[in-house]
Structure formats: structure tokens, C-alpha cells
Amino acid sequence: MKKKSALIHAWLAAFVGAVLLGASLVASAGAANAAAPPWAINVTLTPGRVGGSGTVTFSTQTLYRQTFSDPQCATQTQTAPDGTLSVSFSNLTWTNAVIRYSPPLSQWPSKTSTATDPTVTTCATAGGTLVPATATVTQTVATWSVDYSCRNAGDLIIAEYTNNPYLNTGNSAAIWGGSPMPLKVPDNGPPPATCPAVALSSSSGAPGSSLTITGTGYTPSSTASVTFDSTVVGSPTVGADGTFTVNTVVPTYPIGASHRVGVTSPGVASLTVPFTAEPSFTLAQAMDAKAAVWGLGAATSAVTSIRYAGYYRNYQFGAVIAVNDENLFVSRGAIRSEWAATGFENGLLAYPTTDEIGGLRNGGVYQNYQEGAIIWSPASGAHESYGPIRSEWQATGFENGVLGYPTSEVLDGMEYEVSYQNYQGGTIVSSPELNGAHATFGPIRSEWQATGLQHGPLSWPLTEVVTGLRNGGSYQGFIFGAIVSSPASGTHESYGPIRSKWAATNFESGPLGYPTTEVVKGILNGGSYQNYQGGAIVSSPASGTHESIGAIRGEWQATGFEGGLLGYPTTDEVGGLRSGGVYQNYQGGAIIWSPVSGAHESYGPIRAAWQSTGFESGRLGYPTSEVYSVPNGTAQNFQGGKITVINGTTTVS
């Protein structure tokens, strides 16, 4: 391949500068280095194995970035204008037409590749000087496909892009990269005789007049969705003979004369039939009529076009929004103010899909949008609702559930990619790194707040609130622990080594039961503990973390807990001793229990002497008393005798 000549560079610079820059396609380009190809959407037709079927594939380069080895030369970047495709399949009379819509170009599946461009050996500096350099090109190509079926050879395929940058150049067809538009369905055999069809009782009618829509050839027992333009007018169940009927009326304020009735059903391509409204309204007339019904007052602006073929018109007390030049929605009051705060149709919610809908709990009102909703109530105000957090709120029952109404916006930018939203009864926390979205509410949320929320020892929630535990208990898992609640024990945190030890005892189903206090820190030598229904777990850096239960715990309490002569436990309880005995070691000795002798301390020289006799397996057996004072010393009674220490001398008797 020959190296790019100065002539080719100049041609590319002229074309990209005059056309693409004018079309807002190039974010940053130096004239001498603008080597990106003209932007276009390429179209490929692939016939299917069944007659009248096939696939139309659209692909386009959404990013072209050229970087140079010499830092004196600026990086060149070209990006594609975001928009959506509409693809129509129809015969010449536009009966039983199919219209499909793509997601925004930015959401198409894409692949990115990076390679060295072997044709580049120089680049131009900011001053226009050519210097030796190599170039690396990064390209992202996005693809979207749509299937068709039940089409006759020669039927039309017409694609339109909502943000065609060539409209103002006089060559709007340049967007298709040389493919003639409309395309035609290739001949791969006749379509099946059982293809679905839609018929209208009349192809035209006055606003408010009756209209019957009939479908044939559909799957029995399936559900069909029938729309007039984009408004659903029926959802019939297909009969055993593959037919359905919907009786509706022509909308009161149809915008323009040309409209469409559409039918979608699982497993069947969507069909569209044209309908003519007579008489019709201009967009401005329809907006004014709707504004009058909603009491928006006089118009204060002209009808103005906005993103993705939308329009708006402002009034004294709100606005009317037209979506796809078909559906009109009112925008007013606190909900409109919240929508404005999100960026109107350019924001995360995009366009409204309903008017305001009232009748919610405690006087609430909501309005749905393409990407979520805005909810208002007198007590909570107006707040956005979208994404995984909205899905979780829906799972709790929306405003009728435990959370009630939202009381804040969605707040993001936290660690672990966390976003959250507060509600009257709690919070929903969402993160792709933390198992999705989780609601936290009630006593568990109150306890989480008491620990310092995400800034405390537990950090963010990892699970839902899980119910159905023993004795009516519940818990919620967090990054570094859990919060556990039961009617009898209350609601308490659980984390760190103490939680690990509780887990080893089988949590609430073990001998300790539920926690009854928080984790208490600041005791002797950096220790901590947590009380439970059946005892406690005690931890210190020197002794480790151990359970403390039953009669042995009672004896340890009598010695003064960790502040007494025994100090902290250094083992859990150890069973399997003679005659059903159990012991637990401590920093300063041990406590020993048996069914016959009870629980007693063991420490110091007396313990050493008892050890020399074989502990409980020796002739003395188990201790039967505490260590007590005698003249000039101490003593302790055992099942088989006594040990005394007087003036430093130990006697076993």
C-alpha cells in the first residue's frame, strides 16, 4: 500500500472539515492530520431460510481516534452523533406495514480495536510542520440488527436516523454509505400462507369516532398489544382460531392527518396499518386543546422542536410535550420542576410517557418517563425514580410498601460505585459491585444509622432484609458484617471476630441465641464483648475470641470477669471430661464444671498441685469449692480431698 500523499491528506481535511465538522461529528481535528473516513451507517441484507424472511444489519463506526508517536501532534478524534433508527417494512400501499425502532446508537452492541496505521509516516504539529511519526488508530464499531418475516419480494425497507448530520448539506442519503434507500426485500421464495394480518373497520374517520381493529393469523392464547400511534388501545387475548378484535375510538385531538394502528404479539413481527384522521389538528392546535383541558393557561411560547423528533410548548402554568409528533403529555407543577432538575428530555429520565396520574396513597401523584418516573406527595415532595433502585422500590410495593415515598434524589459517586435513595421508611442502596440494589428499613435501618451508616464498621448492605429466622428473627448482610433483629432480643450489629465466633456456634440457632447488646469496646487491654441471650462472646488481642456461657460464665462473673484474677478466656468451653465435665481456660487459670460438683475456679499453686494429681481424673476429682482463705494461706476443696497452700507450702490431703 502506498503512503498517504499530501493530496489525499488535503482531500480528507477538506471533506471532514466541510462536512463532518459542520455535522458536529469531529470533536477534535487538526487539518493536516484528519485521516478519519467519512461517517456513515452501512446496511447489509441477509435473506432467511424461510421465504419472505431475513435480517437487516446496520453497522457504523462510533469512534475513530488517531494518536501519534510524536507528542507535538494532537490526537485526532471523530465520534458519531447519537440517535435512533426507525426501520419500516411495507408494500407500496403501506398496508400491514412493520415499523421497528432501535435503541440509541450509544447503546448498540459494539467492539473496539486498536492497530498501527502503516500508511502514516509523518504528522503535522500545531504550527503545521511535518515531523516523522507513527500513528495508532482506535476504532469502535457498533451493530444493530432487525429481523423481518412474511414480506413479499420487492417490498420496501426504509430506514431513517433521527440525528442525520447530512440533512443540512443537501445530501441526506450520504448517511447510508452508498446503499440506495429505500432498499427492497430480496426474493428468497414466497412467504408462508399463515402470516399475520391486521385490518381496520375503516381506513379513515373523525376524531372520537368508533374504530374496530381485527387481527388474523396470530398464535392462539397469546396476548396482542394494539396501539393507535404510540398509545395502547387494547391488549386482547388471541382466540383459538388465531384472531382477535379490539373496539376503540379515534383520539380526540389527532395531530396531523396520517396515523398508524400497530399490533405486537410474542413471536410475531409487529404490523402497522395506516389511518387517516378527518378532520385533523395541527400540532399547535392539539397542544392548545390539551393545555385547556389541564388548565395550563395561555401559551407563552411557540411550538419548539427538541431532541429525537419531540416538541414542546410552554404555557402559563406548565407545558405540553409531544413525543414522536404523536403523543401529547402535560408537564406541570412540582413534577415538572423535578424533571427540569434532571435535564428535561436530555436528562436521565428522557421523555414523559404518561400524564400525571393521581389517586396514590396519602394524596400522591406520579408521572412515568421513558427511563423511570417522578413521584410527588404532600409530605415527601417530588423526586426521581429510575434504574435498579426503582426496580427494588417496585419489589417492596412502591409507595404502599414499607419504604413509602422517596424523600431524596438518587445520590451517587460513592465508593464501590454505590448510589442510594432515601425513603420515608428507609433507604435503597445499589451497586453493581455489591450484588445489585437492596432496601434497608425499620429497626435494621435505625441500627445501621446508629453505627454510622456506610462510615461505620458495617459499610454498605449486601443483601435484602431476610426474614423467617428462629423466633421471628431477621437480618441484613453488610460488607463487613450484619444487623440481626428479633422481637425478644432487639436489633443489634454483628461484625468482626465476634461475629465469626458467633457463626461458629451456629448463629441464632446455637447456644448463644440472638445478640442482646451492641459490640462493646474499650474494656481491659483493648478487649471487647457482645452479650447474647445465652451468654456472651469475649475478645481481646492477647487471648483471642471465645464464647462465655452457662454456669462457667456465671463463675467467671463472680471472679470479676476480665478484670478479675482469671483475666480473659483463652479457649472455648471444652467438653468430654470424666462424668460429663466441661472446662474453659483463662489467662490466669480455668473454670471447671461437672453435673455433680458445679462450676469452680482453678488457678495458682492450687491448680498446679491439682494438675500434678491428674486433674479431675486423679484421686481428688473435681473441685467442690472456690479458693478460700485460711490462716496464712488459701485452700480449695475437691471431691476426694483438699489442697492447701500455707506460707508457700502446698499440701494435698
Side-chain angles (χ1 to χ4, degrees):
M1 182 182 292
K2 295 182 179 179
K3 298 176 182 177
K4 286 188 175 74
S5 67
L7 179 62
I8 294 177
H9 275 288
W11 180 86
L12 284 169
F15 187 92
V16 173
V19 177
L20 298 190
L21 272 176
S24 300
L25 294 180
V26 178
S28 138
N33 298 322
W39 182 73
I41 298 176
N42 299 305
V43 188
T44 304
L45 281 177
T46 306
R49 290 181 294 178
V50 177
S53 70
T55 300
V56 186
T57 301
F58 300 87
S59 62
T60 186
Q61 183 173 274
T62 58
L63 171 68
Y64 184 98
R65 178 177 291 122
Q66 186 181 52
T67 58
F68 300 96
S69 58
D70 192 317
Q72 298 179 81
C73 301
T75 296
Q76 311 301 309
T77 301
Q78 174 181 306
T79 57
D82 201 14
T84 59
L85 272 175
S86 63
V87 186
S88 304
F89 301 87
S90 175
N91 57 22
L92 295 177
T93 62
W94 279 91
T95 55
N96 284 322
V98 174
I99 301 179
R100 302 289 294 275
Y101 297 94
S102 78
L105 175 59
S106 58
Q107 298 177 20
W108 290 15
S110 62
K111 292 184 178 180
T112 300
S113 62
T114 301
T116 300
D117 187 344
T119 67
V120 175
T121 58
T122 62
C123 64
T125 67
T129 303
L130 290 178
V131 295
T134 59
T136 299
V137 174
T138 299
Q139 301 180 77
T140 298
V141 176
T143 303
W144 178 73
S145 297
V146 58
D147 296 328
Y148 64 86
S149 61
C150 294
R151 307 309 316 183
N152 292 306
D155 278 1
L156 303 179
I157 304 174
I158 302 175
E160 295 182 354
Y161 192 67
T162 57
N163 197 9
N164 187 337
Y166 300 101
L167 286 177
N168 296 326
T169 69
N171 186 24
S172 61
I175 194 173
W176 304 117
S179 298
M181 195 64 66
L183 304 173
K184 292 187 177 181
V185 172
D187 188 356
N188 65 333
T194 57
C195 287
V198 176
L200 306 181
S201 58
S202 175
S203 61
S204 63
S209 62
S210 298
L211 179 65
T212 299
I213 304 159
T214 303
T216 58
Y218 283 83
T219 304
S221 300
S222 64
T223 300
S225 177
V226 182
T227 58
F228 189 101
D229 291 332
S230 297
T231 301
V232 177
V233 295
S235 300
T237 299
V238 178
D241 60 353
T243 67
F244 68 81
T245 300
V246 171
N247 295 307
T248 185
V249 295
V250 179
T252 306
Y253 306 112
I255 304 168
S258 298
H259 300 271
R260 63 180 185 269
V261 174
V263 177
T264 59
S265 186
V268 178
S270 301
L271 296 181
T272 302
V273 179
F275 181 85
T276 302
E278 300 173 342
S280 62
F281 289 80
T282 66
L283 179 57
Q285 289 172 329
M287 285 181 160
D288 290 345
K290 181 137 190 172
V293 171
W294 283 79
L296 298 185
T300 59
S301 78
V303 174
T304 305
S305 63
I306 48 179
R307 180 187 186 197
Y308 297 154
Y311 296 87
Y312 76 90
R313 190 171 196 177
N314 290 331
Y315 295 83
Q316 290 173 302
F317 307 110
V320 174
I321 314 298
V323 182
N324 296 326
D325 196 16
E326 297 169 357
N327 296 313
L328 299 182
F329 301 110
V330 166
S331 176
R332 63 176 185 173
I335 288 181
R336 176 169 174 76
S337 297
E338 178 64 18
W339 186 40
T342 70
F344 285 130
E345 76 283 350
N346 297 305
L348 50 91
L349 294 176
Y351 280 101
T353 58
T354 68
D355 292 320
E356 288 186 357
I357 299 173
L360 303 188
R361 175 185 175 193
N362 298 328
V365 176
Y366 74 93
Q367 185 166 23
N368 285 334
Y369 293 77
Q370 290 172 323
E371 301 299 332
I374 295 175
I375 301 92
W376 174 89
S377 80
S380 61
H383 301 287
E384 65 203 22
S385 175
Y386 62 91
I389 289 179
R390 176 167 175 78
S391 298
E392 177 69 10
W393 185 41
Q394 180 178 9
T396 70
F398 284 136
E399 76 283 350
N400 296 310
V402 292
L403 293 174
Y405 286 99
T407 58
S408 76
E409 313 314 326
V410 174
L411 305 173
D412 55 18
M414 316 290 172
E415 59 182 349
Y416 303 110
E417 297 185 58
V418 164
S419 58
Y420 72 90
Q421 185 168 27
N422 290 327
Y423 293 77
Q424 291 171 316
T427 301
I428 295 176
V429 177
S430 177
S431 166
E433 297 185 23
L434 303 179
N435 302 327
H438 308 293
T440 178
F441 52 87
I444 287 179
R445 163 144 176 84
S446 298
E447 177 66 16
W448 184 41
Q449 183 170 0
T451 69
L453 298 174
Q454 73 271 20
H455 305 295
L458 298 173
S459 191
W460 297 102
L462 276 178
T463 71
E464 308 299 333
V465 174
V466 179
T467 59
L469 275 58
R470 176 186 176 193
N471 298 327
S474 59
Y475 78 93
Q476 184 164 29
F478 290 75
I479 293 178
F480 299 120
I483 294 176
V484 186
S485 181
S486 82
S489 62
T491 305
H492 304 287
E493 65 200 19
S494 175
Y495 62 89
I498 288 179
R499 175 168 176 77
S500 298
K501 174 57 64 174
W502 186 41
T505 71
N506 200 22
F507 289 128
E508 75 283 350
S509 297
L512 290 170
Y514 286 99
T516 57
T517 69
E518 314 312 328
V519 174
V520 179
K521 299 180 178 181
I523 57 178
L524 183 71
N525 298 327
S528 58
Y529 73 91
Q530 186 168 28
N531 288 334
Y532 293 77
Q533 291 172 313
I537 295 176
V538 185
S539 181
S540 82
S543 63
T545 305
H546 303 287
E547 67 193 14
S548 176
I549 59 176
I552 288 180
R553 174 168 174 75
E555 178 64 19
W556 184 44
Q557 179 178 8
T559 70
F561 285 135
E562 76 283 349
L565 51 91
L566 291 176
Y568 285 100
T570 57
T571 68
D572 294 326
E573 288 193 353
V574 179
L577 304 188
R578 172 187 172 190
S579 303
V582 177
Y583 74 91
Q584 185 167 23
N585 287 334
Y586 292 77
Q587 291 171 314
I591 295 175
I592 302 91
W593 173 90
S594 79
V596 175
S597 61
H600 301 287
E601 64 203 25
S602 175
Y603 61 90
I606 292 178
R607 176 168 176 75
W610 184 42
Q611 181 179 8
S612 70
T613 69
F615 285 135
E616 77 286 347
S617 297
R619 67 181 179 85
L620 290 177
Y622 286 100
T624 58
S625 75
E626 313 312 329
V627 175
Y628 57 91
S629 296
V630 297
N632 300 318
T634 57
Q636 187 170 22
N637 297 330
F638 292 79
Q639 290 173 316
K642 180 169 69 172
I643 298 175
T644 59
V645 178
I646 297 177
N647 294 326
T649 300
T650 302
T651 302
V652 178
S653 58

